[in-house]
């Protein structure tokens, strides 16, 4: 398990997302309400970059800009064709205002104050 600084929580208000490059892998960090999710930024269907698509907060999905594939941000599961294969998900940790992506873990975190 490895932990990588991603961004500051204060720069990621609800509804915002960011792309973080970790060892050459683009990871989409999305804040939906007070929850943070980290998934692979590359669509499993073809070459769509998910940060160029839309986040759907009600269903907690991210949509691909190329062919309307969608993925559940919580699980990485493909929820809309033509996307079929899942995308990787990553863990997220918060320490103060620092947000970390954790490779090798698979949980998201709640960003509301403890
Ligand atoms: S590349 Fe994402 S749906 Fe085709």
């Amino acid at each position: 398990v490895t932990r990588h600084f991603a961004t500051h929580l204060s720069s990621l208000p609800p509804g915002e997302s960011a792309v973080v490059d970790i060892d050459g892998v683009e990871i989409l960090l999305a804040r939906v309400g007070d929850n943070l999710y980290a998934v692979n930024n590359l669509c499993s269907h073809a070459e769509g970059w998910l940060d160029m698509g839309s986040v759907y907060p009600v269903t907690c999905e991210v949509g691909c800009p190329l062919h309307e594939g969608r993925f559940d941000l919580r699980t990485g599961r493909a929820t809309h064709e033509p996307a079929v294969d899942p995308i990787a998900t990553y863990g997220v940790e918060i320490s103060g205002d620092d947000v970390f992506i954790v490779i090798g873990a698979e949980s998201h975190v709640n960003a509301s104050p403890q």
Side-chain angles (χ1 to χ4, degrees):
V1 174
T2 57
R3 194 169 179 255
H4 305 262
F5 174 77
T7 189
H8 292 294
L9 185 60
S10 55
S11 67
L12 200 67
E16 291 293 314
S17 57
V19 175
V20 185
D21 186 310
I22 297 178
D23 297 335
V25 177
E26 279 200 15
I27 295 175
L28 177 71
L29 180 65
R31 182 166 177 175
V32 179
D34 276 331
N35 291 315
L36 293 177
Y37 303 95
V39 299
N40 195 295
N41 193 36
L42 188 60
C43 181
S44 64
H45 176 241
E47 299 295 313
W49 294 107
L50 298 176
D51 65 305
M52 305 297 283
S54 302
V55 171
Y56 300 92
V58 173
T59 54
C60 204
E61 293 172 302
V62 61
C64 179
L66 288 192
H67 315 109
E68 300 183 2
R70 287 195 193 188
F71 301 89
D72 190 317
L73 285 165
R74 296 163 292 200
T75 63
R77 189 172 65 89
T79 54
H80 194 280
E81 293 185 345
V84 175
D85 295 325
I87 53 175
T89 61
Y90 307 96
V92 181
E93 286 181 13
I94 296 173
S95 177
D97 192 40
D98 293 340
V99 179
F100 298 87
I101 289 173
V102 185
I103 309 294
E106 291 182 359
S107 60
H108 65 277
V109 295
N110 189 290
S112 58
Q114 301 299 308

